[in-house]
Amino acid sequence: MYIPKFYKNENQEDIQNFIHQNGFGILVNQTNGKLWATHIPLLLEEKDGKQILVGHVSKLNPQAESFQDNDEVLAIFSGAHSYISSSWYDHENVPTWNYLAVHVYGKVAIYHHEQAVNSLKKLVDKYETKSKNPIRIEDLSSKTMREARGIIAFEIEITAIEAQKKLSQNRDDKNYKNIISELEKTNDNQAIAIANEMKKNR
């Protein structure tokens, strides 16, 4: 990912929190000679002192065929984003787009069935916390749990992380504050989220 120096995010705690909060990612690899992408939830965990990503895909998904080769995969996590009009500046310039994104590179290791079920438990527990009547994998019937035989669960050993936080850092204070003000006027959830990120960033 191309990251100008203004926008590079190297704060590891910030990056980890971003992945936890924006865990529905895009897993990209090369399968049968072409690029393949799957939209899936991924969990960031720690194993033996190192960060890993854990997820699963359907056994029918051709993407999984290349997991055996231990080729590099890319997981993309996107956050809030918004159009930035240059009419908000006190000088002539071009419009742009503010956004938050993290790219994670790594190698895949496939889980056996027990590990797969354990990863499902963690995933369900994370996202059921806001449910009025949360379910637990442990409480599902054996008939329902047979569906777990239809997935390939895996972990990604992280080899590199690139994080971009493009929040108009190259603007002076006056224009920076004006961008925030204009974003807040839009009544758009994404724009307001970017305004809040900008407030935290400066």
Side-chain angles (χ1 to χ4, degrees):
M1 173 165 57
Y2 169 61
I3 310 177
K5 63 178 182 179
F6 281 119
Y7 311 133
K8 191 169 187 178
N9 183 6
E10 296 181 294
N11 183 315
Q12 295 305 307
E13 182 179 356
D14 187 40
I15 293 169
Q16 289 172 25
N17 288 335
F18 180 86
I19 295 174
H20 287 308
Q21 294 165 13
N22 300 276
F24 191 68
I26 303 173
L27 184 67
V28 182
N29 70 358
Q30 192 169 58
T31 300
N32 298 323
K34 71 174 185 177
L35 290 175
W36 200 275
T38 302
H39 298 250
I40 55 171
L42 293 162
L43 292 179
L44 180 65
E45 297 183 359
E46 187 169 308
K47 179 181 178 182
D48 301 327
K50 296 180 180 179
Q51 298 290 321
I52 62 169
L53 290 174
V54 177
H56 67 272
V57 297
S58 167
K59 283 185 177 178
L60 299 177
N61 187 336
Q63 185 174 37
E65 294 176 17
S66 67
F67 290 173
Q68 301 284 356
D69 299 329
N70 199 30
D71 289 337
E72 186 174 59
V73 297
L74 165 64
I76 300 172
F77 300 93
S78 297
H81 61 90
S82 182
Y83 177 73
I84 306 298
S85 171
S86 56
S87 69
W88 301 342
Y89 305 153
D90 63 3
H91 59 281
E92 184 179 32
N93 210 311
V94 294
T96 190
W97 210 279
N98 279 1
Y99 64 94
L100 303 168
V102 170
H103 286 192
V104 179
Y105 301 85
K107 303 278 188 175
V108 173
I110 296 174
Y111 280 169
H112 57 65
H113 182 67
E114 286 184 10
Q115 289 174 307
V117 171
N118 188 51
S119 72
L120 289 175
K121 289 177 183 178
K122 292 178 181 178
L123 184 67
V124 169
D125 287 347
K126 175 181 178 179
Y127 289 104
E128 283 288 331
T129 54
K130 295 179 181 178
S131 296
K132 185 177 181 181
N133 299 300
I135 64 161
R136 297 171 68 243
I137 290 291
E138 295 91 330
D139 298 333
L140 297 178
S141 68
S142 57
K143 179 182 177 182
T144 298
M145 285 307 297
R146 279 202 291 270
E147 293 188 27
R149 298 284 180 185
I151 67 168
I152 293 177
F154 56 84
E155 69 180 47
I156 299 171
E157 179 188 345
I158 297 173
T159 56
I161 296 178
E162 297 173 337
Q164 181 147 210
K165 185 186 282 191
K166 185 175 181 298
L167 298 172
S168 300
Q169 295 96 319
N170 57 333
R171 301 297 168 196
D172 60 36
D173 286 344
K174 178 183 176 183
N175 285 286
Y176 193 86
K177 291 175 182 176
N178 203 51
I179 293 167
I180 293 172
S181 176
E182 293 296 334
L183 286 168
E184 290 177 332
K185 292 176 186 176
T186 64
N187 291 321
D188 177 83
N189 289 339
Q190 293 279 353
I192 292 169
I194 285 293
N196 290 335
E197 289 293 335
M198 289 179 67
K199 286 178 182 177
K200 290 190 290 185
N201 206 53
R202 184 182 292 184

